[in-house]
Amino acid sequence: MTDCIFCKIARGELPSKKVYEDDELLAFHDIHPAAPVHLLVIPKLHVASLAECDGRHGEVLGKMLLLAPKLAQDHGLVDGFKTVINTGKGGGQVVFHLHVHIIGGANMAHV
Ligand code: DGP
C-alpha cells in the first residue's frame, strides 16, 4: 500500500524509533505513548487489520505475539505488560495496517 503510514515506515520512507527488525517484522516506539513504554509491532507486508487475516497469516501473527514478551523484557517491563490489537473503527483502530501495541511501565489497569 503506497500511502499507508506503517508501510512507509517499513520501507524506511518515514522515520521511526526502531527497536527490532527482521525480514517479516518491524517494531518501533509509538508516536503518542500511552505509558512509559509503548511499542508497536507490525508485519512488513500490508494487512489492514486482524479482521483481514486468514490462515495464511497464522505464522506472522504468531511471530508478532512471540516477539512481544522479548521486547517487553528488553524494555524493562519485568512486572508485565499489556498487548492490544485494535481492530476496525469500532475497535478503535486508527492506522489500518495490522499492529500489536505493547504497553507498560505504569499501572496498566485502565490503559
Ligand atoms: P490504533 O488505534 O491501534 O490504530 O493505533 C495506532 C497507533 O499508531 C497510535 O497509538 C499512534 C501510532 N502512530 C500513528 N502514526 C504514527 C507514526 O507516524 N509513527 C509512529 N511511531 N506511531 C504512529
Side-chain angles (χ1 to χ4, degrees), residues 5-6 9 28-31 40 86 92-95 99 101:
I5 290 172
F6 287 177
I9 288 175
F28 51 90
H29 287 271
D30 193 293
I31 206 166
L40 301 172
N86 294 323
Q93 186 174 6
V94 173
V95 177
H99 51 280
H101 296 255

Side-chain angles (χ1 to χ4, degrees), residues 13-110:
E13 294 169 12
L14 283 178
S16 68
K17 286 171 67 183
K18 200 187 297 181
V19 296
Y20 177 85
E21 181 168 18
D22 65 25
D23 289 348
E24 291 175 279
L25 305 181
L26 184 69
F28 51 90
H29 287 271
D30 193 293
I31 206 166
H32 299 307
V37 177
H38 189 161
L39 308 174
L40 301 172
V41 180
I42 67 166
K44 286 186 173 177
L45 282 182
H46 184 84
V47 188
S49 81
L50 193 58
E52 272 72 37
C53 290
D54 58 31
R56 292 170 296 177
H57 301 97
E59 193 174 328
V60 77
L61 282 167
K63 286 180 179 172
M64 291 168 73
L65 288 181
L66 290 172
L67 184 58
K70 291 186 182 142
L71 292 181
Q73 190 175 32
D74 289 350
H75 289 79
L77 302 179
V78 290
D79 288 339
F81 58 93
K82 182 166 283 198
T83 47
V84 175
I85 304 175
N86 294 323
T87 303
K89 282 189 184 141
Q93 186 174 6
V94 173
V95 177
F96 282 81
H97 180 126
L98 176 67
H99 51 280
V100 177
H101 296 255
I102 301 167
I103 309 166
N107 183 344
M108 288 294 101
H110 304 295

